[in-house]
Amino acid sequence: MDSFEQEGNGAALESLPPPPPVPPDVVPIKAESDAKKTVRHPMARRGVGTKGQKVTILTNHFKVSVGSTDGHFYHYSVSLSYEDGRPVDGKGVGRKVIDRVHETYKNELDGKNFAYDGEKSLFTIGPLPNNKLEFTVVLEDVAPTRNNGNASPDGLDSPNGRERKRLRRPYHSKTFKVEISYAAKIPMQAIQNALRGQESENSQEALRVLDIILRQHAAKQGCLLVRQSFFQDNQNNFTDIGGGVLGCRGFHSSFRATQGGLSLNIDVSTTMIIQPCPVVDFLLANQNARDPYSLDWNKAKRVLKNLRIKVSPSNQEYKITGLSEQLCKDQLFSMKQKNTKNENGEAETLEITIYDYFVNHRNIQLRYSADLPCINVGKPKRPTYIPIELCSLVSLQRYTKALSTFQRASLVEKSRQKPQERMNVLSNVLRTSNYGAEPMLKSCGVNINSNFTQVDGRILPAPRLRVGNGEDFFPRNGRWNFNNKKLVEPSRIERWAVVNFSAPRCDPNNIARDLIRCGEMKGIRIDPPFDIFNEMNQNRRLSPVVRVEKMFEQIQSKLPGAPQFLLCLLPDRKNSDLYGPWKRKNLSEYGIVTQCMAPARVNDQYLTNLLLKINAKLGGLNSMLTIEQTPSIPMISKVPTIILGMDVSHGSPGQSDVPSIAAVVSSRQWPLISRYRASVRTQSPKLEMIDSLFKPVSDKVDEGIMREALLDFYTSSGKRKPDQIIIFRDGVSESQFNQVLNKELDQVIEACKFLDENWNPKFVVIVAQKNHHTKFFQQGSPDNVLPGTVIDNKVCHPKNNDFYLCAHAGMIGTTRPTHYHVLLDQVGFSADDLQELVHSLSYVYQRSTTAISVVAPICYAHLAASQLGQFMKFEDASETSSSHGGVTAPGAISVPQLPRLKDNVSSSMFFC
């Protein structure tokens, strides 16, 4: 029984008699299914591609040989505690303690070297003398080390008499108890097995040990560690990106099992750090404030919490826990008087201000701290206050808040490198990191080749594109333009108006006139606008939501009915706070297609690009693949096929309570693969798996995303159900592949069965990754690899079906290839057909006249998620939503739902 026609599959059961009633004293038992669910695993490679022009490519993988394969890594659990049994919570101190154990008890440990991960795991080559070892060590100075700022400082309880002692004896010792207990042994042979494609938990663990050795090697050189990326405290690697934040250039280094054997993947990496400088200077830059007296101290408190400072003149290092409630000149504390005692023989206390104490008792000159809060480095119940001008931020502290648009642009601009420059830097990194001297690597017999690995690449030809008047052409170097060309399916714009929030910076009449003229050249017929609505002066100081409300009141009072389209002129080029409220009002409340623009530097090129977006939103098509029109796409044109792009976007790292947004984009009007629609839902913060693909709320009602996509495909494709479902999934790591293949795909299958029990479409599941560190270089050329370059050998997985594709022309910096992992293919694509399909899907992106770096459905999913994310942005003040007490457990807070789009725009390409 098919329910595409009847919305729900309950009706099929109505002809059956009802089941007999259950007697009142019987508790029904849930039927257990005998059939064990088969767990899907990523598929093996069936073959490699052959199409395209062959080319030799260099890659930033360096061949590794492993001498000893018959030994074992031994894994031990590490437990650190203080003398009184309290566990050590600070991570930074762990490495110092384990180093001291290694020095002090060399003989008891048979002189073995350790690979320690800085937390709870330690590895050796061969066993330690006993399965359980206990040691006691003393450390003189336990200020946290650079690479982890989580250790809590001890001492300086209050600035009193003890503080003066500390200045004479700045180091204080602490005793630690260390327990090292056997956990597991990992055969080194597992690395060889992985290279033969026999992956196991052991082989992943063995490679993890090698990576931990690299981390430890970097930690010993005082680097900041961010997973497998390492950053040195070197001014030459820092670049100012504004707001008190520096871009810090370092390098990524990790071992990979590949078809060509074990390789070391080294790449340039960039992270953000806080500018090491006096705390006040950082705050002035961070808030763009004129002087310390105009700082927002609530904001300051949030950004400073948990940062590490050095205090002059003692040079002691502490972690900031907060700020004083009062100004330095007013903040009191009780100072013990050494020489005066009360009747009980205890030292009398004197109430004194922090300012008075430092200036008069410590003889430290303070120039401007009197009228500012103090820095607190103590515990909540026992604060320790220090005047702010004595505090400087130490180097290499990560900045994890979201960057502003300008900071991000600056970081990208300053951290990009041309291919040749990047190769030189990487050769240099390999030379200076001196892995040959690392004792643990020596013990494993690891030898690293210093040459870039050569791989065989192929350059796929660009697909032929169709534009207006039946004209076909081939893009050149991944690019094309619409000069003297018409759009393949232009829309017709009749009822429209211009809304101007930007006055008096532009003349909306000129913009409307130029838009009509450019539209005509591209085949889009645009009538004169019905009206131009300028925002009233008195509304400009109102909140964004109210400004949009007032504008709609104006529009409704003048327009005879809902317009087909509204062109909106915004005052700012980036991040206008009107954008979210405006989009929400149009798409959710009125179902009106809208295009926003900022009227700075408007020329014909700009307006043509704008028209590409407008045409796609209104249901037109700018260009398409010729093989869509014929139709002759291998494996797709003959059998109804839906193509899905899925992505989940999360709040910035500091925001643990901002819901994640899942977007699923789906193709429509088969046999086309250029037209898409999107469904977007919120879900628990930081949850990577999409949980709303199938959402049955009763026996007959499914409110999931897949149902919407499948019903839209059915109605737009001549009442055909898709027999093939191709899923492109973005943003998941290799450790999550099994969840995509089982949890997410199961939801998709259930959604299909809910619509029609007897329907069994075939599935293809492909993960696209951009967040990896493999780069490709042309041999003997300073330019980036050519668009269409595909690599499916040597640096690819020993067994699984994956390939790298650079579909786009890298104009600046070094091209980042997209790594495609084919996890499942029930359709039976050949390697060539699948690679060509992925390549073609990089040419159907309607917003630009270039091939893009990842398939269009995934790009559209990003756009849809970020646009609907703006709907929510203006509801919370995003600054205060940043909670810095770790990450909330997924599902711990109720997730606000996004408003639904009106039906007439929900199937449009509103996200273009």
Side-chain angles (χ1 to χ4, degrees):
M1 180 77 186
D2 194 318
S3 66
F4 276 85
E5 306 279 9
Q6 59 181 50
E7 297 285 296
N9 66 348
L13 306 174
E14 285 172 13
S15 55
L16 299 174
V22 179
D25 55 339
V26 172
V27 178
I29 298 171
K30 190 169 183 226
E32 291 291 331
S33 161
D34 289 340
K36 273 250 169 82
K37 266 195 64 183
T38 54
V39 177
R40 302 179 196 93
H41 295 287
M43 68 179 283
R45 184 186 306 282
R46 292 181 185 143
V48 294
T50 57
K51 285 191 178 169
Q53 177 196 333
K54 292 191 169 39
V55 59
T56 301
I57 297 287
L58 297 176
T59 175
N60 58 340
H61 284 240
F62 299 87
K63 199 159 176 40
V64 176
S65 56
V66 183
S68 58
T69 55
D70 45 2
H72 286 80
F73 290 121
Y74 279 71
H75 178 190
Y76 294 89
S77 291
V78 176
S79 161
L80 303 179
S81 55
Y82 295 109
E83 222 171 349
D84 58 9
R86 282 180 302 127
V88 174
D89 49 0
K91 288 184 199 168
V93 78
R95 286 192 191 276
K96 289 190 166 183
V97 173
I98 293 298
D99 283 349
R100 181 53 57 89
V101 167
H102 195 251
E103 287 163 26
T104 315
Y105 297 98
K106 215 173 182 78
N107 295 339
E108 288 86 335
L109 296 163
D110 283 359
K112 283 217 177 297
N113 286 314
F114 292 164
Y116 175 52
D117 73 350
E119 296 185 32
K120 295 198 158 76
S121 289
L122 180 148
F123 300 87
T124 58
I125 296 168
L128 292 173
N130 294 313
N131 278 352
K132 190 160 189 185
L133 296 160
E134 293 190 12
F135 302 106
T136 303
V137 290
V138 177
L139 285 191
E140 287 70 46
D141 167 32
V142 287
T145 52
R146 159 168 295 122
N147 38 44
N148 256 309
N150 304 344
S152 50
D154 286 85
L156 194 72
D157 295 319
S158 58
N160 53 27
R162 275 184 292 173
E163 164 70 4
R164 262 170 275 173
K165 276 188 210 158
R166 162 126 343 93
L167 291 176
R168 287 196 294 274
R169 188 179 60 83
Y171 296 117
H172 49 304
S173 62
K174 221 169 185 55
T175 304
F176 294 89
K177 290 201 302 209
V178 182
E179 265 185 32
I180 297 177
S181 31
Y182 171 79
K185 71 175 179 177
I186 305 150
M188 289 190 190
Q189 185 61 41
I191 296 174
Q192 301 305 320
N193 296 348
L195 299 174
R196 287 197 292 272
Q198 301 161 350
E199 267 199 297
S200 63
E201 217 164 291
N202 271 341
S203 62
Q204 286 164 355
E205 278 295 291
L207 288 174
R208 188 168 84 94
V209 177
L210 292 180
D211 281 348
I212 285 168
I213 296 172
L214 297 180
R215 279 175 64 83
Q216 176 172 281
H217 185 72
K220 283 189 171 146
Q221 295 170 355
C223 291
L224 162 70
L225 311 183
V226 182
R227 293 180 293 280
Q228 285 301 127
S229 291
F230 315 131
F231 303 91
Q232 291 173 330
D233 190 4
N234 178 343
Q235 294 286 328
N236 298 335
N237 297 337
F238 300 164
T239 173
D240 190 348
I241 60 168
V245 182
L246 305 179
C248 175
R249 183 177 290 171
F251 66 95
H252 165 94
S253 183
S254 67
F255 287 98
R256 312 276 306 171
T258 69
Q259 283 174 38
L262 189 64
S263 70
L264 180 66
N265 176 206
I266 299 186
D267 193 20
V268 175
S269 189
T270 305
T271 192
M272 285 81 67
I273 60 169
I274 301 270
Q275 185 159 4
C277 62
V279 169
V280 167
D281 293 358
F282 165 71
L283 291 174
L284 291 174
N286 187 247
Q287 297 187 20
N288 197 15
R290 284 188 323 280
D291 54 58
Y293 309 108
S294 50
L295 286 167
D296 174 338
W297 290 102
N298 281 329
K299 224 176 193 177
K301 188 174 177 179
R302 277 198 300 275
V303 80
L304 291 176
K305 193 166 168 65
N306 292 333
L307 292 180
R308 298 187 328 275
I309 51 169
K310 270 215 162 84
V311 175
S312 66
S314 68
N315 232 15
Q316 278 282 81
E317 204 172 291
Y318 300 105
K319 188 162 73 172
I320 298 176
T321 52
L323 299 173
S324 60
E325 293 294 318
Q326 290 168 297
L327 303 178
C328 186
K329 63 180 184 191
D330 304 323
Q331 183 69 52
L332 293 165
F333 78 100
S334 306
M335 182 172 82
K336 286 183 181 168
Q337 301 284 81
K338 269 190 166 174
N339 306 329
T340 54
K341 305 214 163 133
N342 60 17
E343 55 265 29
N344 302 331
E346 294 166 351
E348 287 205 355
T349 59
L350 172 70
E351 288 290 299
I352 180 174
T353 68
I354 303 289
Y355 182 81
D356 189 10
Y357 167 74
F358 275 90
V359 172
N360 298 323
H361 291 256
R362 297 274 306 278
N363 296 321
I364 294 172
Q365 287 306 307
L366 297 177
R367 287 175 305 131
Y368 56 81
S369 292
D371 295 304
L372 302 175
C374 301
I375 298 286
N376 180 10
V377 297
K379 307 260 185 322
K381 294 207 169 114
R382 295 178 66 185
T384 303
Y385 295 121
I386 302 168
I388 199 162
E389 72 189 74
L390 302 181
C391 303
S392 286
L393 291 158
V394 300
S395 192
L396 289 190
Q397 301 192 73
R398 280 184 82 196
Y399 180 80
T400 56
K401 318 270 184 304
L403 293 180
S404 71
T405 313
F406 302 108
Q407 284 175 319
R408 187 174 290 112
S410 175
L411 182 66
V412 168
E413 188 186 332
K414 290 176 178 174
S415 58
R416 63 185 175 219
Q417 292 169 308
K418 289 225 167 358
Q420 202 60 52
E421 186 191 346
R422 186 172 286 243
M423 286 180 82
N424 294 340
V425 168
L426 295 180
S427 296
N428 203 24
V429 161
L430 187 57
R431 201 170 48 252
T432 54
S433 45
N434 198 12
Y435 287 136
E438 168 56 52
M440 284 289 283
L441 291 180
K442 264 189 187 159
S443 315
C444 306
V446 164
N447 189 18
I448 301 164
N449 188 319
S450 59
N451 295 324
F452 286 74
T453 299
Q454 270 195 18
V455 296
D456 302 322
R458 290 171 291 113
I459 302 167
L460 300 179
R464 188 199 294 257
L465 295 186
R466 168 76 47 98
V467 287
N469 298 335
E471 184 189 340
D472 286 359
F473 66 94
F474 285 106
R476 296 183 55 179
N477 199 26
R479 309 175 79 77
W480 64 98
N481 60 51
F482 276 104
N483 296 346
N484 308 317
K485 295 185 184 78
K486 299 260 193 286
L487 306 184
V488 67
E489 285 184 23
S491 45
R492 171 99 173 78
I493 304 176
E494 293 165 331
R495 304 181 318 282
W496 71 291
V498 181
V499 169
N500 182 18
F501 287 104
S502 179
R505 284 173 46 192
C506 68
D507 181 351
N509 290 295
N510 283 349
I511 288 176
R513 192 187 62 237
D514 290 344
L515 193 72
I516 292 168
R517 179 176 53 76
C518 285
E520 201 176 328
M521 285 153 56
K522 302 291 157 256
I524 302 177
R525 286 196 39 215
I526 309 175
D527 290 351
F530 183 88
D531 207 339
I532 287 171
F533 297 95
N534 290 305
E535 185 178 31
M536 294 174 187
N537 283 342
Q538 66 264 34
N539 292 345
R540 284 203 194 123
R541 287 203 162 72
L542 301 171
S543 75
V545 178
V546 178
R547 286 173 72 181
V548 169
E549 289 282 351
K550 297 274 188 202
M551 183 59 84
F552 260 91
E553 286 169 17
Q554 253 180 283
I555 295 169
Q556 281 172 309
S557 67
K558 286 208 183 160
L559 286 189
Q564 178 192 3
F565 167 68
L566 287 175
L567 180 67
C568 175
L569 310 183
L570 292 175
D572 308 302
R573 231 181 112 226
K574 295 273 184 201
N575 290 5
S576 169
D577 51 7
L578 289 161
Y579 182 86
W582 173 256
K583 286 285 182 188
R584 178 174 181 157
K585 196 84 175 158
N586 279 275
L587 297 173
S588 289
E589 292 184 34
Y590 292 101
I592 298 169
V593 171
T594 171
Q595 177 62 51
C596 296
M597 63 176 281
R601 297 201 300 276
V602 174
N603 55 24
D604 281 11
Q605 177 69 60
Y606 180 95
L607 291 173
T608 301
N609 288 343
L610 204 68
L611 282 162
L612 296 182
K613 288 156 62 83
I614 294 167
N615 188 48
K617 288 177 182 180
L618 289 169
L621 269 182
N622 304 325
S623 61
M624 65 200 299
L625 304 170
T626 305
I627 51 173
E628 284 180 89
Q629 191 104 35
T630 7
S632 55
I633 307 170
M635 315 296 283
I636 287 177
S637 297
K638 303 273 186 293
V639 181
T641 303
I642 187 171
I643 297 176
L644 305 172
M646 300 185 178
D647 180 46
V648 177
S649 60
H650 307 288
S652 60
Q655 301 174 314
S656 58
D657 50 3
V658 173
S660 293
I661 297 180
V664 176
V665 160
S666 56
S667 63
R668 51 202 314 268
Q669 294 183 12
W670 175 83
L672 293 185
I673 59 170
S674 287
R675 274 217 167 95
Y676 294 85
R677 68 179 302 280
S679 296
V680 186
R681 303 275 196 282
T682 47
Q683 57 185 38
S684 301
K686 309 289 182 242
L687 178 65
E688 188 48 68
M689 291 300 121
I690 302 176
D691 64 1
S692 50
L693 294 168
F694 176 56
K695 265 231 157 95
V697 288
S698 71
D699 291 348
K700 296 184 183 179
V701 182
D702 162 20
E703 290 185 349
I705 290 178
M706 278 311 301
R707 180 190 185 82
E708 284 180 22
L710 293 168
L711 288 170
D712 176 80
F713 181 90
Y714 181 77
T715 52
S716 70
S717 305
K719 302 217 163 165
R720 290 186 186 84
K721 286 178 291 192
D723 291 326
Q724 297 174 163
I725 298 179
I726 299 176
I727 297 170
F728 285 97
R729 178 67 160 93
D730 188 33
V732 288
S733 61
E734 285 166 53
S735 61
Q736 296 165 316
F737 285 179
N738 283 334
Q739 284 177 281
V740 170
L741 262 183
N742 294 286
K743 285 192 177 165
E744 286 189 345
L745 184 55
D746 276 351
Q747 285 187 68
V748 176
I749 292 169
E750 285 181 80
C752 294
K753 293 286 183 198
F754 198 87
L755 282 165
D756 178 0
E757 189 60 44
N758 303 315
W759 175 36
N760 294 305
K762 291 177 176 172
F763 289 95
V764 177
V765 179
I766 301 172
V767 168
Q769 287 178 335
K770 293 209 63 183
N771 220 355
H772 59 81
H773 285 280
T774 297
K775 299 285 191 299
F776 297 113
F777 307 92
Q778 284 197 64
Q779 196 169 19
S781 165
D783 298 331
N784 270 309
V785 294
L786 293 170
T789 300
V790 64
I791 283 120
D792 58 6
N793 60 79
K794 279 251 181 94
V795 289
C796 292
H797 194 278
K799 182 183 91 179
N800 295 355
N801 190 358
D802 65 330
F803 61 93
Y804 291 91
L805 175 65
C806 303
H808 64 301
M811 297 318 239
I812 44 179
T814 304
T815 298
R816 178 185 292 189
T818 300
H819 192 182
Y820 291 99
H821 302 259
V822 185
L823 303 187
L824 178 70
D825 174 14
Q826 297 175 338
V827 171
F829 278 96
S830 69
D832 279 324
D833 283 346
L834 195 56
Q835 288 168 14
E836 287 209 310
L837 172 66
V838 170
H839 188 220
S840 295
L841 283 169
S842 305
Y843 279 82
V844 300
Y845 188 60
Q846 297 297 309
R847 283 166 47 117
S848 74
T849 54
T850 59
I852 52 173
S853 62
V854 70
V855 289
I858 280 180
C859 264
Y860 289 148
H862 285 307
L863 290 172
S866 70
Q867 186 163 130
L868 268 82
Q870 300 275 349
F871 280 22
M872 299 195 325
K873 218 178 225 169
F874 63 89
E875 289 173 354
D876 61 2
S878 74
E879 185 64 46
T880 54
S881 72
S882 185
S883 68
H884 301 291
V887 175
T888 322
I893 53 171
S894 67
V895 178
Q897 293 306 304
L898 287 168
R900 287 302 175 92
L901 303 187
K902 281 280 189 227
D903 287 348
N904 57 330
V905 289
S906 65
S907 287
S908 74
M909 290 176 72
F910 67 85
F911 42 79
C912 254

Coordinates of all heavy atoms in Angstrom, one line a residue, residues 336-374:
K336 N 46.6 40.4 58.7 CA 47.1 40.0 60.1 C 48.2 41.0 60.5 O 49.1 41.2 59.7 CB 47.5 38.6 60.1 CG 46.3 37.6 60.1 CD 46.8 36.2 60.2 CE 45.6 35.3 60.1 NZ 45.9 33.9 59.9
Q337 N 48.1 41.5 61.7 CA 49.2 42.3 62.3 C 50.2 41.4 63.0 O 49.9 40.8 64.0 CB 48.6 43.4 63.3 CG 47.6 44.3 62.7 CD 48.2 45.3 61.8 OE1 48.6 45.0 60.7 NE2 48.4 46.5 62.4
K338 N 51.4 41.4 62.5 CA 52.4 40.4 63.1 C 52.7 40.8 64.6 O 52.8 39.9 65.4 CB 53.7 40.5 62.3 CG 53.7 39.5 61.2 CD 55.1 39.5 60.7 CE 55.4 38.2 59.8 NZ 56.7 38.3 59.2
N339 N 52.8 42.1 64.9 CA 53.4 42.4 66.2 C 52.4 42.7 67.2 O 52.7 42.9 68.4 CB 54.3 43.7 66.0 CG 55.3 43.4 64.9 OD1 55.8 42.3 64.7 ND2 55.7 44.5 64.1
T340 N 51.1 42.8 66.8 CA 50.0 43.0 67.9 C 49.1 41.8 68.0 O 48.6 41.3 67.0 CB 49.2 44.3 67.5 OG1 48.7 44.1 66.2 CG2 50.0 45.5 67.5
K341 N 49.0 41.3 69.2 CA 48.2 40.1 69.4 C 47.0 40.5 70.3 O 47.1 41.4 71.2 CB 49.0 39.0 70.1 CG 50.3 38.7 69.3 CD 50.6 37.2 69.4 CE 51.6 36.9 68.3 NZ 52.7 36.2 68.6
N342 N 45.9 39.8 70.2 CA 44.7 40.0 71.1 C 44.9 39.1 72.3 O 45.9 38.4 72.5 CB 43.4 39.7 70.4 CG 43.4 38.3 69.9 OD1 44.1 37.4 70.3 ND2 42.5 38.0 68.9
E343 N 43.9 39.1 73.2 CA 44.0 38.4 74.5 C 44.2 36.9 74.3 O 44.7 36.2 75.2 CB 42.8 38.7 75.4 CG 41.5 38.4 74.9 CD 40.8 39.7 74.2 OE1 41.6 40.5 73.8 OE2 39.6 39.8 74.2
N344 N 43.7 36.3 73.2 CA 43.9 34.9 72.9 C 45.2 34.6 72.4 O 45.5 33.4 72.0 CB 42.8 34.4 72.0 CG 41.4 34.6 72.5 OD1 41.2 34.7 73.7 ND2 40.5 34.8 71.6
G345 N 46.1 35.6 72.2 CA 47.4 35.3 71.6 C 47.4 35.2 70.1 O 48.4 34.9 69.5
E346 N 46.3 35.5 69.5 CA 46.2 35.5 68.0 C 46.6 36.9 67.4 O 46.3 37.9 68.1 CB 44.8 35.1 67.5 CG 44.5 33.7 67.9 CD 43.0 33.4 67.7 OE1 42.2 34.4 67.4 OE2 42.5 32.3 67.8
A347 N 47.2 36.9 66.2 CA 47.5 38.1 65.6 C 46.3 38.9 65.3 O 45.3 38.4 64.8 CB 48.3 37.9 64.3
E348 N 46.3 40.2 65.6 CA 45.1 41.0 65.4 C 45.1 41.3 63.9 O 46.1 41.3 63.2 CB 45.3 42.4 66.1 CG 45.0 42.2 67.6 CD 44.5 43.5 68.3 OE1 44.5 44.5 67.6 OE2 44.2 43.4 69.5
T349 N 43.8 41.6 63.4 CA 43.7 41.9 62.0 C 43.3 43.3 61.8 O 42.6 43.9 62.6 CB 42.6 41.0 61.3 OG1 41.4 41.2 62.0 CG2 42.9 39.5 61.4
L350 N 43.7 43.8 60.6 CA 43.5 45.2 60.3 C 42.7 45.3 59.0 O 43.1 44.6 58.0 CB 44.8 46.0 60.2 CG 44.8 47.4 59.7 CD1 44.1 48.3 60.7 CD2 46.2 47.9 59.4
E351 N 41.6 45.9 58.9 CA 40.9 46.1 57.6 C 41.6 47.1 56.8 O 41.8 48.3 57.2 CB 39.4 46.6 57.9 CG 38.5 45.5 58.5 CD 38.2 44.4 57.5 OE1 37.6 44.6 56.5 OE2 38.6 43.2 57.8
I352 N 42.0 46.8 55.6 CA 42.8 47.7 54.8 C 42.4 47.5 53.3 O 42.0 46.4 52.9 CB 44.3 47.3 55.0 CG1 45.2 48.2 54.2 CG2 44.6 45.9 54.7 CD1 46.7 48.1 54.5
T353 N 42.6 48.5 52.5 CA 42.2 48.3 51.1 C 43.4 47.7 50.3 O 44.5 47.8 50.8 CB 41.9 49.7 50.4 OG1 43.1 50.4 50.3 CG2 40.8 50.4 51.1
I354 N 43.1 47.0 49.2 CA 44.1 46.4 48.4 C 45.1 47.5 48.0 O 46.3 47.3 48.0 CB 43.5 45.8 47.2 CG1 42.4 44.7 47.6 CG2 44.6 45.1 46.3 CD1 43.0 43.5 48.2
Y355 N 44.6 48.7 47.6 CA 45.5 49.7 47.1 C 46.4 50.2 48.2 O 47.7 50.3 47.9 CB 44.6 50.9 46.6 CG 45.4 52.1 46.1 CD1 45.8 52.0 44.7 CD2 45.7 53.2 46.9 CE1 46.6 53.1 44.2 CE2 46.5 54.2 46.3 CZ 46.9 54.2 45.0 OH 47.6 55.2 44.5
D356 N 45.9 50.4 49.3 CA 46.7 50.8 50.5 C 47.8 49.8 50.8 O 49.0 50.1 51.0 CB 45.8 51.0 51.7 CG 46.5 51.7 52.9 OD1 47.6 52.2 52.7 OD2 45.9 51.7 54.0
Y357 N 47.4 48.5 50.8 CA 48.3 47.4 51.1 C 49.5 47.4 50.1 O 50.7 47.4 50.5 CB 47.6 46.1 51.1 CG 48.5 44.9 51.1 CD1 49.2 44.5 52.3 CD2 48.8 44.2 49.9 CE1 50.1 43.5 52.3 CE2 49.7 43.1 49.9 CZ 50.3 42.8 51.1 OH 51.2 41.7 51.1
F358 N 49.2 47.5 48.9 CA 50.3 47.4 47.9 C 51.2 48.7 47.9 O 52.4 48.6 47.7 CB 49.7 47.1 46.5 CG 49.5 45.6 46.2 CD1 48.3 45.1 46.5 CD2 50.5 44.9 45.7 CE1 48.1 43.7 46.3 CE2 50.3 43.5 45.5 CZ 49.1 42.9 45.8
V359 N 50.5 49.8 48.0 CA 51.3 51.1 47.9 C 52.1 51.3 49.2 O 53.3 51.6 49.1 CB 50.4 52.3 47.5 CG1 51.1 53.6 47.6 CG2 49.8 52.1 46.1
N360 N 51.4 51.2 50.3 CA 52.0 51.6 51.6 C 52.8 50.5 52.3 O 53.7 50.7 53.0 CB 51.0 52.2 52.5 CG 50.4 53.5 51.9 OD1 51.1 54.2 51.2 ND2 49.1 53.7 52.0
H361 N 52.3 49.2 52.2 CA 52.9 48.1 52.9 C 53.9 47.4 52.0 O 54.9 46.8 52.5 CB 51.9 47.1 53.4 CG 51.0 47.7 54.5 ND1 51.2 47.4 55.8 CD2 50.0 48.6 54.5 CE1 50.4 48.1 56.6 NE2 49.6 48.8 55.8
R362 N 53.7 47.4 50.7 CA 54.6 46.7 49.8 C 55.5 47.6 49.0 O 56.4 47.2 48.3 CB 53.8 45.8 48.8 CG 53.0 44.7 49.5 CD 53.8 43.4 49.7 NE 54.5 43.0 48.5 CZ 53.9 42.2 47.6 NH1 52.6 41.9 47.7 NH2 54.6 41.9 46.5
N363 N 55.2 48.9 49.2 CA 56.0 50.0 48.5 C 56.0 49.7 46.9 O 57.1 49.8 46.3 CB 57.4 50.0 49.0 CG 57.4 50.5 50.4 OD1 56.6 51.4 50.8 ND2 58.2 49.9 51.3
I364 N 54.9 49.3 46.4 CA 54.8 49.2 44.9 C 54.0 50.3 44.4 O 52.8 50.5 44.8 CB 54.1 47.8 44.6 CG1 55.0 46.6 45.1 CG2 53.8 47.7 43.1 CD1 54.4 45.3 44.9
Q365 N 54.6 51.0 43.4 CA 53.9 52.2 42.9 C 52.7 51.7 41.9 O 52.9 50.9 41.1 CB 54.8 53.1 42.0 CG 55.8 53.9 42.9 CD 55.0 54.7 43.9 OE1 54.1 55.5 43.6 NE2 55.4 54.6 45.2
L366 N 51.5 52.3 42.1 CA 50.4 51.9 41.2 C 50.0 53.2 40.5 O 49.6 54.2 41.2 CB 49.2 51.4 42.0 CG 49.5 50.0 42.7 CD1 48.3 49.6 43.5 CD2 49.9 48.9 41.7
R367 N 50.0 53.2 39.2 CA 49.7 54.4 38.4 C 48.2 54.6 38.2 O 47.7 55.7 38.3 CB 50.4 54.4 37.1 CG 51.9 54.7 37.2 CD 52.7 54.6 35.9 NE 52.4 53.3 35.3 CZ 52.0 53.1 34.0 NH1 51.9 54.1 33.2 NH2 51.8 51.9 33.5
Y368 N 47.5 53.5 37.8 CA 46.1 53.7 37.4 C 45.2 52.6 38.0 O 44.0 52.6 37.7 CB 46.0 53.7 35.9 CG 46.5 52.4 35.2 CD1 45.8 51.3 35.2 CD2 47.8 52.4 34.7 CE1 46.3 50.1 34.6 CE2 48.3 51.3 34.1 CZ 47.6 50.1 34.0 OH 48.1 49.0 33.4
S369 N 45.6 51.7 38.9 CA 44.8 50.6 39.3 C 43.7 51.1 40.4 O 42.8 50.4 40.6 CB 45.6 49.5 40.0 OG 46.4 48.9 39.0
A370 N 44.0 52.2 41.0 CA 43.1 52.6 42.1 C 41.6 52.6 41.7 O 40.7 52.1 42.5 CB 43.5 54.0 42.6
D371 N 41.3 53.1 40.5 CA 39.9 53.2 40.1 C 39.4 52.1 39.2 O 38.4 52.2 38.5 CB 39.7 54.6 39.4 CG 40.0 55.7 40.3 OD1 39.3 55.8 41.4 OD2 40.9 56.5 40.0
L372 N 40.1 51.0 39.2 CA 39.7 49.8 38.4 C 39.6 48.6 39.4 O 40.2 48.5 40.5 CB 40.8 49.5 37.4 CG 41.2 50.6 36.4 CD1 42.3 50.2 35.5 CD2 40.0 51.0 35.6
P373 N 38.8 47.6 39.0 CA 38.7 46.4 39.8 C 40.0 45.7 39.9 O 40.9 45.9 39.0 CB 37.6 45.5 39.1 CG 37.0 46.4 38.1 CD 37.9 47.5 37.8
C374 N 40.2 44.8 40.9 CA 41.4 43.9 41.0 C 41.2 42.6 40.3 O 40.0 42.2 40.1 CB 41.7 43.7 42.4 SG 42.0 45.2 43.4

